[in-house]
Structures are given as structure tokens and as C-alpha cells.
Amino acid sequence: MVVKFLDLKKQYLSIKQEIDSAIFRVIQNSAFIGGDEVLCFEKEFAEFLGEGVKTLGVGNGTDALEIAIESLNLPQGGEVLIPANTFVATAEAVVRNGLKVVFVDCGRDYTLDIGDLESKITPASVAIIAVHLYGQSAKLNEILNLAKKYHLKVIEDCAQSHGATYNGRRVGTFGDVGAFSFYPGKNLGAFGDGGMIVSRDFDCLQRCREIAHHGGLSKYEHRIIGRNSRLDGMQAAILRVKLKYLESWNARRREIAGLYLEGLGDMLDIALPEVKPSCICVWHLFVIRTLKRQTLMEVLRKNGIEYGLHYPLSLPNTPAYAPFVKGIECKNATCWEDEILSLPMGEHLEDKEVQKVIEVLKDTLCG
Ligand SMILES: Cc1ncc(COP(=O)(O)O)c(C=O)c1O
């Protein structure tokens, strides 16, 4: 038995009829860019998030972040505080906007460490990106308080947290602007690239719309220098189908996380992920830490269990971003690079597969 890290084919087969007819509908209507499917998905995703947010479909999650940041008109060269441990896109979006990244260490919940965050705020700071990593919200109360105190903008990177909540409210609805990715492997994934910008500020979203649509709100209007970034009709139609299942898929992820937490709870060699009481985590990834990673990876491989590393290097230690680091340490992020290990996670998993992962890990560590 192979235990898959991700099984998109199984997911497709479970909703095949609906997906096939959605794709057929798009072909029949031939509204490939823009059109009703995109408008409906934007509306349905906004309703899903609640709090009166407005939404704008774009080409992918990286574009969503980049355009969201651009819309805030931050002063060139300003410093944006981001976590050291995140997917590289968070940093790319900052640097590509002519801003500087300042890396902040992560806490035991793998999101921004608040003490380190405040210590790195300077007069040049302009914004914070709260990344809701692995499916769990960052510590938004503290982040929003710091942002208020130091007059900083807050951008939420929700690429890994579709449906996650903080104090009962969905992530993406807290900051000045938020960005989602619909990369196929995400909790809500398209059949290609896709992204969404969300904001409660209508003007901010209109600026995003102009940027993403060649600098204007209508065809051949170019008020500002824009670019092209669009969610296409086919992806929107597919995402509309999948959105109906997101809650139940996330609930299944929580059940699996429960099995791991219970099954591995007494393993001294494993540090389990910590969930804050204020959060409902949607478990995009289930990441453990262990000093015995090399051994565990070999045993998992031998037993046909797929795993991942998120991320093999924290950003300050990558060749691209090392030059941005001026002796500022991110101790946890650096130390945990060699310890983190992502176990299979997703609604595709059967209980018996999760139990197999638990048994293999236990046998190796106890045997
Ligand atoms: C935290 C984070 N931010 C941004 C992105 C970028 O999204 P995309 O791959 O859709 O460009 C991703 C996903 O890959 C991500 O995990």
C-alpha cells in the first residue's frame, strides 16, 4: 500500500460528474476569460469568507500578493516584515514591488513570533505580511495591535488557509488586503493556476482590479501602468464545484490531524504541531519536528509513505534572499530546517493509511 501525500486524481473521481459538466458548460458558453463563472465564483468565495469582503480573481497566488501589495501604494524602499519560514512567493511579492523584506522568526505555531516581530519594526517599516502557514492563522490580534501602534499595513497571505478561522472569523477578512492561491495542491485547488485578492476596502480592490486589468476598469482604458492577471472561466467553474466540498474536506483533514495527534502524542522524539485555542486550523500540512528526521525519512520511503519538507531552507538561508539579511537571526526557522517533516495530509487518506503512518513512525522510534 502506497500512502500518498496528495491524491488529486482521487479527489477528481469523487466529484467527476459535477466537474465534467462544469467544464463542458464553459466550453459550450465559450466564456474563457471573464464571464459569469468568474463573477459567480468571486461572489460565492466572498460569501464563504463573510464580513462583507470583496473579491477579485487573478492568475495565481503570487500575483494576488504582488498586486495586493502594489495597491497599497507603499513608499519605495519601505520595509515589509515577513516570516522567515514561508513559501518563497511571500518574499518575491515584496521585492518585486521595490520594497525590502525583513525576516521575522516563527513561533511554535510556525507563524510570526510576536516578540521578534516587534523587535524588528523600525521607522522604515511599512507593512506586515501575516502568513497563515500550514492551515493555521497567524496571531492576528497581536499583529493588528502592532500594526495600529506603528501605523503599518497588514497583508494576509492565505494561500494555505482556505476556511481557517481566528476567533470565529475566517482569515482573509482581517487585514487591509488578503491573497489566496488556488494552486492545485491547496485545500481549494484549481486544475491549473488561480488566485484571489480579498479586501473589505472597496477602493483597494478597485485599485487591484485596475492593476490586474492593464491599468483600467474597462477595455482600452489605461489610467495607470497595469499588467495582466486573470482567473479564467474554466478554473472558476471548477473552483465553484470544489468550494461546495471545502468545508467537508477541511473537516476530514481535522479528523486526520486528530488521529496523528493522538497516535503520536506520547512520542518523545516528535514535536507535534501546536494549534492555538483561538484558531480552527484547516491542516493544509501536518508538520512534525524530529531530530531523527533522516532515519524517519528512510523508513517512510521504504514503507511506501510519501512525505514532504516545508521548507527545506528558510528564506534567509536561500541564495536569493541571503543578501537581504543583515546579521538578523531567525533562530527557530534556521534550527527547524533540519527537523521539520510533513506527513501525508488530505481528505484522500483512509483511516488505515493514517494508522500505517503512525505505526511505522512508532515502530521506528520505539523499536
Ligand atoms: C504561503 C504561500 N504564499 C503564496 C503562494 C503562491 O501561490 P501560487 O503558487 O498560486 O502563486 C503559495 C503557494 O504556492 C504559498 O504557499
Side-chain angles (χ1 to χ4, degrees):
M1 164 170 67
V2 173
V3 182
K4 291 196 168 189
F5 191 75
L6 183 71
D7 193 343
L8 294 177
K9 181 141 189 211
K10 185 172 175 187
Q11 187 190 66
Y12 162 62
L13 292 175
S14 74
I15 50 173
K16 183 176 182 316
Q17 255 187 340
E18 281 180 272
I19 292 281
D20 289 357
S21 62
I23 292 173
F24 186 64
R25 197 169 66 226
V26 175
I27 297 171
Q28 278 212 313
N29 294 337
S30 296
F32 297 114
I33 298 285
D36 281 352
E37 299 289 348
V38 175
L39 290 175
C40 287
F41 179 59
E42 286 175 343
K43 186 167 164 283
E44 287 157 10
F45 197 64
E47 279 164 9
F48 172 76
L49 295 178
E51 306 296 329
V53 287
K54 307 276 178 286
T55 51
L56 172 71
V58 292
N60 56 62
T62 310
D63 281 3
L65 273 174
E66 204 175 315
I67 295 166
I69 295 171
E70 188 178 341
S71 76
L72 297 174
N73 293 322
L74 300 170
Q76 288 291 292
E79 294 177 356
V80 180
L81 299 122
I82 72 165
N85 183 33
T86 176
F87 182 61
V88 68
T90 317
E92 284 167 356
V94 172
V95 177
R96 293 209 161 269
N97 267 297
L99 298 158
K100 286 190 188 142
V101 276
V102 173
F103 292 111
V104 176
D105 208 357
C106 51
R108 295 165 74 86
D109 64 347
Y110 301 111
T111 71
L112 285 170
D113 177 87
I114 299 302
D116 199 44
L117 174 63
E118 185 159 18
S119 77
K120 286 175 179 164
I121 295 175
T122 72
S125 303
V126 291
I128 302 169
I129 304 189
V131 182
H132 308 305
L133 202 71
Y134 306 155
Q136 178 171 202
S137 169
K139 295 171 271 295
L140 281 166
N141 260 358
E142 290 88 338
I143 291 168
L144 293 168
N145 285 340
L146 286 178
K148 201 167 169 197
K149 183 169 165 190
Y150 295 102
H151 309 289
L152 309 175
K153 297 286 184 189
V154 174
I155 300 127
E156 290 183 77
D157 182 341
C158 310
Q160 301 189 5
S161 56
H162 313 71
T165 66
Y166 181 80
N167 286 336
R169 186 168 144 185
R170 295 215 197 273
V171 299
T173 65
F174 290 85
D176 293 282
V177 62
F180 283 84
S181 161
F182 302 122
Y183 179 79
K186 302 298 189 202
N187 290 36
L188 180 61
F191 280 16
D193 272 317
M196 187 77 92
I197 302 173
V198 307
S199 180
R200 279 168 300 139
D201 178 350
F202 179 77
D203 294 337
C204 170
L205 207 77
Q206 286 298 80
R207 285 194 297 280
C208 291
R209 197 180 297 279
E210 282 193 322
I211 296 165
H213 295 171
H214 298 295
L217 294 176
S218 55
K219 211 169 183 182
Y220 305 126
E221 177 198 42
H222 312 296
R223 228 182 44 78
I224 57 170
I225 295 174
R227 53 184 285 181
N228 175 20
S229 186
R230 306 183 277 228
L231 180 67
D232 67 70
M234 197 80 84
Q235 301 308 337
I238 290 162
L239 287 163
R240 288 183 71 198
V241 174
K242 287 199 178 190
L243 181 57
K244 290 191 272 171
Y245 294 91
L246 179 60
E247 291 272 61
S248 67
W249 288 340
N250 281 344
R252 177 63 188 148
R253 284 173 182 267
R254 275 195 289 282
E255 271 175 20
I256 293 164
L259 293 176
Y260 279 139
L261 292 171
E262 198 187 314
L264 299 171
D266 53 358
M267 294 285 93
L268 295 176
D269 286 315
I270 290 179
L272 291 168
E274 290 182 12
V275 179
K276 300 179 284 291
S278 50
C279 294
I280 293 182
C281 180
V282 293
W283 297 103
H284 176 59
L285 295 169
F286 191 93
V287 179
I288 61 167
R289 285 197 324 275
T290 175
L291 294 172
K292 304 199 169 150
R293 186 171 80 177
Q294 199 51 41
T295 311
L296 293 187
M297 288 195 306
E298 275 158 33
V299 176
L300 289 173
R301 208 175 303 132
K302 271 193 205 136
N303 282 277
I305 298 169
E306 297 177 351
Y307 58 84
L309 300 180
H310 300 87
Y311 294 90
L313 283 182
S314 66
L315 294 182
N317 298 330
T318 59
Y321 290 93
F324 292 84
V325 184
K326 298 184 213 89
I328 306 171
E329 270 190 60
C330 290
K331 259 198 195 148
N332 287 343
T334 298
C335 185
W336 294 345
E337 278 169 11
D338 299 327
E339 300 177 17
I340 43 144
L341 181 61
S342 309
L343 302 182
M345 171 52 80
E347 85 290 338
H348 64 284
L349 294 168
E350 309 279 339
D351 281 7
K352 63 174 189 293
E353 294 176 302
V354 182
Q355 292 305 348
K356 177 175 168 180
V357 180
I358 294 169
E359 270 158 35
V360 166
L361 292 175
K362 276 184 126 167
D363 286 351
T364 312
L365 295 173
C366 302

